[in-house]
PDB file of all heavy atoms in Angstrom:
ATOM      1  N   ASP A 271      31.879  28.800 -35.729  1.00  0.00           N
ATOM      2  CA  ASP A 271      32.736  28.661 -34.559  1.00  0.00           C
ATOM      3  C   ASP A 271      34.070  29.333 -34.855  1.00  0.00           C
ATOM      4  O   ASP A 271      34.730  29.027 -35.840  1.00  0.00           O
ATOM      5  CB  ASP A 271      32.940  27.180 -34.247  1.00  0.00           C
ATOM      6  CG  ASP A 271      33.781  26.970 -33.004  1.00  0.00           C
ATOM      7  OD1 ASP A 271      33.694  27.809 -32.088  1.00  0.00           O
ATOM      8  OD2 ASP A 271      34.516  25.968 -32.957  1.00  0.00           O
ATOM      9  N   ASN A 272      34.470  30.255 -33.975  1.00  0.00           N
ATOM     10  CA  ASN A 272      35.749  30.962 -34.141  1.00  0.00           C
ATOM     11  C   ASN A 272      35.878  31.575 -35.542  1.00  0.00           C
ATOM     12  O   ASN A 272      36.891  31.422 -36.228  1.00  0.00           O
ATOM     13  CB  ASN A 272      36.909  30.010 -33.865  1.00  0.00           C
ATOM     14  CG  ASN A 272      36.931  29.553 -32.414  1.00  0.00           C
ATOM     15  OD1 ASN A 272      36.508  30.274 -31.523  1.00  0.00           O
ATOM     16  ND2 ASN A 272      37.402  28.328 -32.195  1.00  0.00           N
ATOM     17  N   HIS A 273      34.817  32.258 -35.973  1.00  0.00           N
ATOM     18  CA  HIS A 273      34.810  32.971 -37.244  1.00  0.00           C
ATOM     19  C   HIS A 273      34.907  32.040 -38.452  1.00  0.00           C
ATOM     20  O   HIS A 273      35.356  32.460 -39.522  1.00  0.00           O
ATOM     21  CB  HIS A 273      35.945  34.002 -37.287  1.00  0.00           C
ATOM     22  CG  HIS A 273      35.917  34.965 -36.131  1.00  0.00           C
ATOM     23  ND1 HIS A 273      34.934  35.928 -35.981  1.00  0.00           N
ATOM     24  CD2 HIS A 273      36.734  35.087 -35.061  1.00  0.00           C
ATOM     25  CE1 HIS A 273      35.153  36.613 -34.871  1.00  0.00           C
ATOM     26  NE2 HIS A 273      36.230  36.125 -34.296  1.00  0.00           N
ATOM     27  N   THR A 274      34.554  30.786 -38.272  1.00  0.00           N
ATOM     28  CA  THR A 274      34.497  29.860 -39.411  1.00  0.00           C
ATOM     29  C   THR A 274      33.057  29.431 -39.629  1.00  0.00           C
ATOM     30  O   THR A 274      32.228  29.483 -38.716  1.00  0.00           O
ATOM     31  CB  THR A 274      35.364  28.610 -39.179  1.00  0.00           C
ATOM     32  OG1 THR A 274      34.847  27.881 -38.067  1.00  0.00           O
ATOM     33  CG2 THR A 274      36.809  28.990 -38.932  1.00  0.00           C
ATOM     34  N   LEU A 275      32.759  29.035 -40.847  1.00  0.00           N
ATOM     35  CA  LEU A 275      31.444  28.529 -41.210  1.00  0.00           C
ATOM     36  C   LEU A 275      31.614  27.124 -41.757  1.00  0.00           C
ATOM     37  O   LEU A 275      32.540  26.855 -42.545  1.00  0.00           O
ATOM     38  CB  LEU A 275      30.800  29.420 -42.267  1.00  0.00           C
ATOM     39  CG  LEU A 275      30.355  30.809 -41.809  1.00  0.00           C
ATOM     40  CD1 LEU A 275      30.137  31.713 -43.016  1.00  0.00           C
ATOM     41  CD2 LEU A 275      29.073  30.704 -40.995  1.00  0.00           C
ATOM     42  N   SER A 276      30.727  26.218 -41.373  1.00  0.00           N
ATOM     43  CA  SER A 276      30.827  24.838 -41.842  1.00  0.00           C
ATOM     44  C   SER A 276      29.439  24.256 -42.080  1.00  0.00           C
ATOM     45  O   SER A 276      28.438  24.760 -41.572  1.00  0.00           O
ATOM     46  CB  SER A 276      31.593  23.981 -40.832  1.00  0.00           C
ATOM     47  OG  SER A 276      30.880  23.908 -39.604  1.00  0.00           O
ATOM     48  N   TYR A 277      29.401  23.221 -42.866  1.00  0.00           N
ATOM     49  CA  TYR A 277      28.142  22.499 -43.093  1.00  0.00           C
ATOM     50  C   TYR A 277      28.441  21.072 -43.508  1.00  0.00           C
ATOM     51  O   TYR A 277      29.538  20.733 -43.967  1.00  0.00           O
ATOM     52  CB  TYR A 277      27.284  23.189 -44.164  1.00  0.00           C
ATOM     53  CG  TYR A 277      27.848  23.118 -45.565  1.00  0.00           C
ATOM     54  CD1 TYR A 277      27.676  21.979 -46.357  1.00  0.00           C
ATOM     55  CD2 TYR A 277      28.553  24.188 -46.107  1.00  0.00           C
ATOM     56  CE1 TYR A 277      28.194  21.910 -47.645  1.00  0.00           C
ATOM     57  CE2 TYR A 277      29.077  24.131 -47.385  1.00  0.00           C
ATOM     58  CZ  TYR A 277      28.891  22.984 -48.149  1.00  0.00           C
ATOM     59  OH  TYR A 277      29.413  22.906 -49.413  1.00  0.00           O
ATOM     60  N   GLU A 278      27.449  20.234 -43.329  1.00  0.00           N
ATOM     61  CA  GLU A 278      27.423  18.868 -43.848  1.00  0.00           C
ATOM     62  C   GLU A 278      25.957  18.496 -44.035  1.00  0.00           C
ATOM     63  O   GLU A 278      25.185  18.542 -43.086  1.00  0.00           O
ATOM     64  CB  GLU A 278      28.097  17.876 -42.908  1.00  0.00           C
ATOM     65  CG  GLU A 278      28.083  16.445 -43.466  1.00  0.00           C
ATOM     66  CD  GLU A 278      28.799  15.452 -42.553  1.00  0.00           C
ATOM     67  OE1 GLU A 278      29.179  15.856 -41.422  1.00  0.00           O
ATOM     68  OE2 GLU A 278      28.966  14.278 -42.946  1.00  0.00           O
ATOM     69  N   PHE A 279      25.569  18.173 -45.259  1.00  0.00           N
ATOM     70  CA  PHE A 279      24.183  17.842 -45.557  1.00  0.00           C
ATOM     71  C   PHE A 279      24.087  16.425 -46.104  1.00  0.00           C
ATOM     72  O   PHE A 279      25.005  15.940 -46.788  1.00  0.00           O
ATOM     73  CB  PHE A 279      23.594  18.815 -46.582  1.00  0.00           C
ATOM     74  CG  PHE A 279      23.518  20.236 -46.103  1.00  0.00           C
ATOM     75  CD1 PHE A 279      24.232  21.237 -46.724  1.00  0.00           C
ATOM     76  CD2 PHE A 279      22.723  20.563 -45.010  1.00  0.00           C
ATOM     77  CE1 PHE A 279      24.167  22.556 -46.285  1.00  0.00           C
ATOM     78  CE2 PHE A 279      22.641  21.874 -44.565  1.00  0.00           C
ATOM     79  CZ  PHE A 279      23.362  22.868 -45.197  1.00  0.00           C
ATOM     80  N   GLU A 280      22.947  15.796 -45.842  1.00  0.00           N
ATOM     81  CA  GLU A 280      22.680  14.462 -46.384  1.00  0.00           C
ATOM     82  C   GLU A 280      21.227  14.383 -46.827  1.00  0.00           C
ATOM     83  O   GLU A 280      20.324  14.841 -46.125  1.00  0.00           O
ATOM     84  CB  GLU A 280      22.970  13.375 -45.347  1.00  0.00           C
ATOM     85  CG  GLU A 280      22.749  11.963 -45.889  1.00  0.00           C
ATOM     86  CD  GLU A 280      23.236  10.885 -44.941  1.00  0.00           C
ATOM     87  OE1 GLU A 280      24.284  11.100 -44.293  1.00  0.00           O
ATOM     88  OE2 GLU A 280      22.563   9.853 -44.852  1.00  0.00           O
ATOM     89  N   SER A 281      21.007  13.798 -48.006  1.00  0.00           N
ATOM     90  CA  SER A 281      19.651  13.627 -48.525  1.00  0.00           C
ATOM     91  C   SER A 281      19.601  12.335 -49.330  1.00  0.00           C
ATOM     92  O   SER A 281      20.455  12.103 -50.190  1.00  0.00           O
ATOM     93  CB  SER A 281      19.257  14.814 -49.411  1.00  0.00           C
ATOM     94  OG  SER A 281      17.958  14.640 -49.951  1.00  0.00           O
ATOM     95  N   ASN A 282      18.634  11.488 -49.029  1.00  0.00           N
ATOM     96  CA  ASN A 282      18.477  10.205 -49.723  1.00  0.00           C
ATOM     97  C   ASN A 282      19.759   9.373 -49.705  1.00  0.00           C
ATOM     98  O   ASN A 282      20.113   8.701 -50.666  1.00  0.00           O
ATOM     99  CB  ASN A 282      18.044  10.427 -51.176  1.00  0.00           C
ATOM    100  CG  ASN A 282      16.612  10.905 -51.284  1.00  0.00           C
ATOM    101  OD1 ASN A 282      15.794  10.595 -50.431  1.00  0.00           O
ATOM    102  ND2 ASN A 282      16.312  11.662 -52.321  1.00  0.00           N
ATOM    103  N   GLY A 283      20.480   9.435 -48.573  1.00  0.00           N
ATOM    104  CA  GLY A 283      21.693   8.644 -48.435  1.00  0.00           C
ATOM    105  C   GLY A 283      22.903   9.233 -49.118  1.00  0.00           C
ATOM    106  O   GLY A 283      23.976   8.638 -49.108  1.00  0.00           O
ATOM    107  N   CYS A 284      22.763  10.409 -49.741  1.00  0.00           N
ATOM    108  CA  CYS A 284      23.867  11.065 -50.456  1.00  0.00           C
ATOM    109  C   CYS A 284      24.400  12.192 -49.571  1.00  0.00           C
ATOM    110  O   CYS A 284      23.664  13.129 -49.244  1.00  0.00           O
ATOM    111  CB  CYS A 284      23.371  11.594 -51.792  1.00  0.00           C
ATOM    112  SG  CYS A 284      24.652  12.203 -52.899  1.00  0.00           S
ATOM    113  N   ASN A 285      25.679  12.115 -49.171  1.00  0.00           N
ATOM    114  CA  ASN A 285      26.257  13.036 -48.196  1.00  0.00           C
ATOM    115  C   ASN A 285      27.264  13.967 -48.859  1.00  0.00           C
ATOM    116  O   ASN A 285      28.122  13.528 -49.624  1.00  0.00           O
ATOM    117  CB  ASN A 285      26.927  12.243 -47.077  1.00  0.00           C
ATOM    118  CG  ASN A 285      27.278  13.111 -45.881  1.00  0.00           C
ATOM    119  OD1 ASN A 285      28.160  13.953 -45.958  1.00  0.00           O
ATOM    120  ND2 ASN A 285      26.589  12.895 -44.771  1.00  0.00           N
ATOM    121  N   THR A 286      27.172  15.253 -48.543  1.00  0.00           N
ATOM    122  CA  THR A 286      28.075  16.245 -49.127  1.00  0.00           C
ATOM    123  C   THR A 286      29.485  16.152 -48.579  1.00  0.00           C
ATOM    124  O   THR A 286      30.428  16.645 -49.190  1.00  0.00           O
ATOM    125  CB  THR A 286      27.561  17.666 -48.859  1.00  0.00           C
ATOM    126  OG1 THR A 286      27.533  17.893 -47.443  1.00  0.00           O
ATOM    127  CG2 THR A 286      26.166  17.872 -49.444  1.00  0.00           C
ATOM    128  N   GLY A 287      29.625  15.526 -47.408  1.00  0.00           N
ATOM    129  CA  GLY A 287      30.875  15.602 -46.675  1.00  0.00           C
ATOM    130  C   GLY A 287      30.896  16.853 -45.818  1.00  0.00           C
ATOM    131  O   GLY A 287      30.087  17.772 -45.998  1.00  0.00           O
ATOM    132  N   SER A 288      31.788  16.914 -44.871  1.00  0.00           N
ATOM    133  CA  SER A 288      31.894  18.064 -43.975  1.00  0.00           C
ATOM    134  C   SER A 288      32.876  19.084 -44.555  1.00  0.00           C
ATOM    135  O   SER A 288      33.999  18.734 -44.930  1.00  0.00           O
ATOM    136  CB  SER A 288      32.380  17.608 -42.600  1.00  0.00           C
ATOM    137  OG  SER A 288      32.528  18.705 -41.727  1.00  0.00           O
ATOM    138  N   HIS A 289      32.430  20.350 -44.633  1.00  0.00           N
ATOM    139  CA  HIS A 289      33.256  21.409 -45.208  1.00  0.00           C
ATOM    140  C   HIS A 289      33.273  22.618 -44.277  1.00  0.00           C
ATOM    141  O   HIS A 289      32.238  23.012 -43.752  1.00  0.00           O
ATOM    142  CB  HIS A 289      32.718  21.826 -46.584  1.00  0.00           C
ATOM    143  CG  HIS A 289      32.600  20.682 -47.548  1.00  0.00           C
ATOM    144  ND1 HIS A 289      33.680  19.987 -48.034  1.00  0.00           N
ATOM    145  CD2 HIS A 289      31.500  20.099 -48.090  1.00  0.00           C
ATOM    146  CE1 HIS A 289      33.267  19.029 -48.851  1.00  0.00           C
ATOM    147  NE2 HIS A 289      31.946  19.076 -48.888  1.00  0.00           N
ATOM    148  N   THR A 290      34.447  23.199 -44.096  1.00  0.00           N
ATOM    149  CA  THR A 290      34.623  24.358 -43.222  1.00  0.00           C
ATOM    150  C   THR A 290      35.286  25.488 -44.006  1.00  0.00           C
ATOM    151  O   THR A 290      36.218  25.240 -44.789  1.00  0.00           O
ATOM    152  CB  THR A 290      35.481  23.997 -42.000  1.00  0.00           C
ATOM    153  OG1 THR A 290      34.847  22.940 -41.266  1.00  0.00           O
ATOM    154  CG2 THR A 290      35.653  25.206 -41.070  1.00  0.00           C
ATOM    155  N   PHE A 291      34.814  26.721 -43.779  1.00  0.00           N
ATOM    156  CA  PHE A 291      35.295  27.876 -44.545  1.00  0.00           C
ATOM    157  C   PHE A 291      35.629  29.025 -43.592  1.00  0.00           C
ATOM    158  O   PHE A 291      35.002  29.173 -42.529  1.00  0.00           O
ATOM    159  CB  PHE A 291      34.232  28.319 -45.557  1.00  0.00           C
ATOM    160  CG  PHE A 291      33.744  27.205 -46.439  1.00  0.00           C
ATOM    161  CD1 PHE A 291      32.635  26.456 -46.062  1.00  0.00           C
ATOM    162  CD2 PHE A 291      34.389  26.893 -47.623  1.00  0.00           C
ATOM    163  CE1 PHE A 291      32.176  25.413 -46.854  1.00  0.00           C
ATOM    164  CE2 PHE A 291      33.946  25.861 -48.437  1.00  0.00           C
ATOM    165  CZ  PHE A 291      32.837  25.118 -48.048  1.00  0.00           C
ATOM    166  N   ASN A 292      36.565  29.859 -44.008  1.00  0.00           N
ATOM    167  CA  ASN A 292      37.011  30.978 -43.174  1.00  0.00           C
ATOM    168  C   ASN A 292      36.263  32.278 -43.462  1.00  0.00           C
ATOM    169  O   ASN A 292      36.503  33.284 -42.788  1.00  0.00           O
ATOM    170  CB  ASN A 292      38.515  31.201 -43.352  1.00  0.00           C
ATOM    171  CG  ASN A 292      39.338  30.051 -42.806  1.00  0.00           C
ATOM    172  OD1 ASN A 292      38.977  29.475 -41.781  1.00  0.00           O
ATOM    173  ND2 ASN A 292      40.422  29.703 -43.486  1.00  0.00           N
ATOM    174  N   SER A 293      35.397  32.283 -44.466  1.00  0.00           N
ATOM    175  CA  SER A 293      34.648  33.496 -44.790  1.00  0.00           C
ATOM    176  C   SER A 293      33.288  33.124 -45.358  1.00  0.00           C
ATOM    177  O   SER A 293      33.080  31.997 -45.842  1.00  0.00           O
ATOM    178  CB  SER A 293      35.413  34.344 -45.812  1.00  0.00           C
ATOM    179  OG  SER A 293      35.455  33.682 -47.070  1.00  0.00           O
ATOM    180  N   LEU A 294      32.380  34.080 -45.295  1.00  0.00           N
ATOM    181  CA  LEU A 294      31.049  33.858 -45.852  1.00  0.00           C
ATOM    182  C   LEU A 294      31.122  33.655 -47.358  1.00  0.00           C
ATOM    183  O   LEU A 294      30.417  32.804 -47.912  1.00  0.00           O
ATOM    184  CB  LEU A 294      30.143  35.045 -45.527  1.00  0.00           C
ATOM    185  CG  LEU A 294      28.715  34.967 -46.097  1.00  0.00           C
ATOM    186  CD1 LEU A 294      27.971  33.764 -45.544  1.00  0.00           C
ATOM    187  CD2 LEU A 294      27.946  36.257 -45.804  1.00  0.00           C
ATOM    188  N   ALA A 295      32.001  34.396 -48.039  1.00  0.00           N
ATOM    189  CA  ALA A 295      32.115  34.254 -49.488  1.00  0.00           C
ATOM    190  C   ALA A 295      32.553  32.844 -49.866  1.00  0.00           C
ATOM    191  O   ALA A 295      32.019  32.231 -50.800  1.00  0.00           O
ATOM    192  CB  ALA A 295      33.108  35.276 -50.036  1.00  0.00           C
ATOM    193  N   ALA A 296      33.525  32.305 -49.126  1.00  0.00           N
ATOM    194  CA  ALA A 296      33.999  30.950 -49.405  1.00  0.00           C
ATOM    195  C   ALA A 296      32.917  29.922 -49.078  1.00  0.00           C
ATOM    196  O   ALA A 296      32.740  28.932 -49.799  1.00  0.00           O
ATOM    197  CB  ALA A 296      35.272  30.663 -48.606  1.00  0.00           C
ATOM    198  N   TYR A 297      32.176  30.169 -47.989  1.00  0.00           N
ATOM    199  CA  TYR A 297      31.067  29.292 -47.600  1.00  0.00           C
ATOM    200  C   TYR A 297      30.010  29.239 -48.705  1.00  0.00           C
ATOM    201  O   TYR A 297      29.543  28.155 -49.096  1.00  0.00           O
ATOM    202  CB  TYR A 297      30.473  29.809 -46.298  1.00  0.00           C
ATOM    203  CG  TYR A 297      29.170  29.188 -45.874  1.00  0.00           C
ATOM    204  CD1 TYR A 297      29.128  27.987 -45.179  1.00  0.00           C
ATOM    205  CD2 TYR A 297      27.962  29.837 -46.155  1.00  0.00           C
ATOM    206  CE1 TYR A 297      27.922  27.432 -44.779  1.00  0.00           C
ATOM    207  CE2 TYR A 297      26.754  29.301 -45.748  1.00  0.00           C
ATOM    208  CZ  TYR A 297      26.729  28.093 -45.066  1.00  0.00           C
ATOM    209  OH  TYR A 297      25.531  27.555 -44.667  1.00  0.00           O
ATOM    210  N   CYS A 298      29.648  30.386 -49.247  1.00  0.00           N
ATOM    211  CA  CYS A 298      28.630  30.451 -50.293  1.00  0.00           C
ATOM    212  C   CYS A 298      29.126  29.794 -51.580  1.00  0.00           C
ATOM    213  O   CYS A 298      28.381  29.096 -52.260  1.00  0.00           O
ATOM    214  CB  CYS A 298      28.231  31.904 -50.549  1.00  0.00           C
ATOM    215  SG  CYS A 298      27.429  32.684 -49.123  1.00  0.00           S
ATOM    216  N   ASP A 299      30.399  30.022 -51.901  1.00  0.00           N
ATOM    217  CA  ASP A 299      30.969  29.362 -53.070  1.00  0.00           C
ATOM    218  C   ASP A 299      30.956  27.849 -52.898  1.00  0.00           C
ATOM    219  O   ASP A 299      30.722  27.103 -53.851  1.00  0.00           O
ATOM    220  CB  ASP A 299      32.403  29.841 -53.313  1.00  0.00           C
ATOM    221  CG  ASP A 299      32.464  31.267 -53.853  1.00  0.00           C
ATOM    222  OD1 ASP A 299      31.421  31.751 -54.352  1.00  0.00           O
ATOM    223  OD2 ASP A 299      33.551  31.889 -53.769  1.00  0.00           O
ATOM    224  N   GLY A 300      31.215  27.397 -51.664  1.00  0.00           N
ATOM    225  CA  GLY A 300      31.188  25.962 -51.390  1.00  0.00           C
ATOM    226  C   GLY A 300      29.822  25.362 -51.597  1.00  0.00           C
ATOM    227  O   GLY A 300      29.679  24.274 -52.170  1.00  0.00           O
ATOM    228  N   LEU A 301      28.778  26.062 -51.171  1.00  0.00           N
ATOM    229  CA  LEU A 301      27.413  25.577 -51.369  1.00  0.00           C
ATOM    230  C   LEU A 301      27.069  25.443 -52.849  1.00  0.00           C
ATOM    231  O   LEU A 301      26.315  24.562 -53.262  1.00  0.00           O
ATOM    232  CB  LEU A 301      26.408  26.521 -50.694  1.00  0.00           C
ATOM    233  CG  LEU A 301      26.368  26.514 -49.167  1.00  0.00           C
ATOM    234  CD1 LEU A 301      25.483  27.647 -48.659  1.00  0.00           C
ATOM    235  CD2 LEU A 301      25.862  25.169 -48.638  1.00  0.00           C
ATOM    236  N   ARG A 302      27.643  26.308 -53.667  1.00  0.00           N
ATOM    237  CA  ARG A 302      27.353  26.316 -55.101  1.00  0.00           C
ATOM    238  C   ARG A 302      28.156  25.269 -55.878  1.00  0.00           C
ATOM    239  O   ARG A 302      27.833  24.963 -57.021  1.00  0.00           O
ATOM    240  CB  ARG A 302      27.668  27.701 -55.691  1.00  0.00           C
ATOM    241  CG  ARG A 302      26.743  28.810 -55.216  1.00  0.00           C
ATOM    242  CD  ARG A 302      27.307  30.184 -55.580  1.00  0.00           C
ATOM    243  NE  ARG A 302      27.571  30.306 -57.008  1.00  0.00           N
ATOM    244  CZ  ARG A 302      26.656  30.718 -57.907  1.00  0.00           C
ATOM    245  NH1 ARG A 302      25.447  31.063 -57.506  1.00  0.00           N
ATOM    246  NH2 ARG A 302      26.965  30.811 -59.187  1.00  0.00           N
ATOM    247  N   ASN A 303      29.169  24.718 -55.256  1.00  0.00           N
ATOM    248  CA  ASN A 303      30.086  23.812 -55.947  1.00  0.00           C
ATOM    249  C   ASN A 303      29.546  22.390 -55.921  1.00  0.00           C
ATOM    250  O   ASN A 303      29.664  21.674 -54.924  1.00  0.00           O
ATOM    251  CB  ASN A 303      31.467  23.879 -55.284  1.00  0.00           C
ATOM    252  CG  ASN A 303      32.524  23.163 -56.090  1.00  0.00           C
ATOM    253  OD1 ASN A 303      32.259  22.162 -56.750  1.00  0.00           O
ATOM    254  ND2 ASN A 303      33.738  23.670 -56.029  1.00  0.00           N
ATOM    255  N   ASP A 304      28.973  21.958 -57.056  1.00  0.00           N
ATOM    256  CA  ASP A 304      28.364  20.632 -57.106  1.00  0.00           C
ATOM    257  C   ASP A 304      29.410  19.528 -57.006  1.00  0.00           C
ATOM    258  O   ASP A 304      29.171  18.485 -56.399  1.00  0.00           O
ATOM    259  CB  ASP A 304      27.566  20.479 -58.407  1.00  0.00           C
ATOM    260  CG  ASP A 304      26.452  19.461 -58.286  1.00  0.00           C
ATOM    261  OD1 ASP A 304      25.580  19.635 -57.418  1.00  0.00           O
ATOM    262  OD2 ASP A 304      26.462  18.476 -59.048  1.00  0.00           O
TER     263      ASP A 304
END
């Protein structure tokens, strides 16, 4: 939305929290950050 990327995932009751990024590179880095 408006050139931002965001996600929030949940599995087995464990939630990543909601995260929003201004670039694809930051979005991908966020996915990799345990």
Side-chain angles (χ1 to χ4, degrees):
D271 182 32
N272 295 330
H273 305 291
T274 63
L275 290 163
S276 64
Y277 69 81
E278 181 178 7
F279 296 117
E280 182 171 323
S281 178
N282 289 331
C284 189
N285 193 291
T286 62
S288 178
H289 304 294
T290 301
F291 307 91
N292 293 323
S293 68
L294 178 61
Y297 169 84
C298 295
D299 287 342
L301 289 171
R302 292 167 56 88
N303 190 327
D304 205 59

